[in-house]
């Protein structure tokens, strides 16, 4: 589902700012949106989104995808190789 949403946003230029747009992108990818539709406005989901957003702001996140390995931040899907290298270094050190 994440790939479908990234594709809709970054490859197809869709704005995923509304519930309708998110569910349409999921449906267009051939996935069943019913589970997301049921939970998207749930209070616990909204609280978790708020907490995640606050943490992202505190850590200096400025876009998606952003991945942290420890305290090191990687931004953009063109940085996935760097993430793999960082994880490999951590494995070697363990």
């Amino acid at each position: 589902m994440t790939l479908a949403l990234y594709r809709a946003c970054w490859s197809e230029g869709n704005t995923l700012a509304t519930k309708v747009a998110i569910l349409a992108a999921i449906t267009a990818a051939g996935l069943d949106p019913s589970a997301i539709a049921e939970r998207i406005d749930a209070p616990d989901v909204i609280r978790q989104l708020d907490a995640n957003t606050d943490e992202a702001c505190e850590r200096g996140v400025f876009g998606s995808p952003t991945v942290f390995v420890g305290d090191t931040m990687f931004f953009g899907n063109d940085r996935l190789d760097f993430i793999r290298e960082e994880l490999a270094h951590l494995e070697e050190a363990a």
Side-chain angles (χ1 to χ4, degrees):
M1 187 168 315
T2 302
L3 291 176
L5 293 173
Y6 275 2
R7 186 174 298 116
C9 182
W10 299 115
S11 297
E12 299 166 10
N14 297 330
T15 301
L16 301 178
T18 67
K19 179 178 171 177
V20 170
I22 292 167
L23 297 177
I26 293 169
T27 302
L31 301 169
D32 180 4
S34 60
I36 295 296
E38 289 176 18
R39 298 278 300 141
I40 200 166
D41 292 322
D44 63 314
V45 172
I46 299 301
R47 278 192 300 275
Q48 187 64 57
L49 175 61
D50 289 343
N52 290 351
T53 301
D54 290 344
E55 180 184 355
C57 289
E58 290 169 11
R59 294 184 84 179
V61 172
F62 55 90
S64 179
T66 297
V67 175
F68 284 91
V69 178
D71 290 329
T72 305
M73 179 172 65
F74 299 91
F75 171 73
N77 64 357
D78 59 334
R79 299 295 189 252
L80 295 178
D81 288 338
F82 297 141
I83 295 166
R84 285 186 197 100
E85 289 174 20
E86 186 73 14
L87 291 170
H89 292 305
L90 289 176
E91 263 186 23
E92 291 170 3

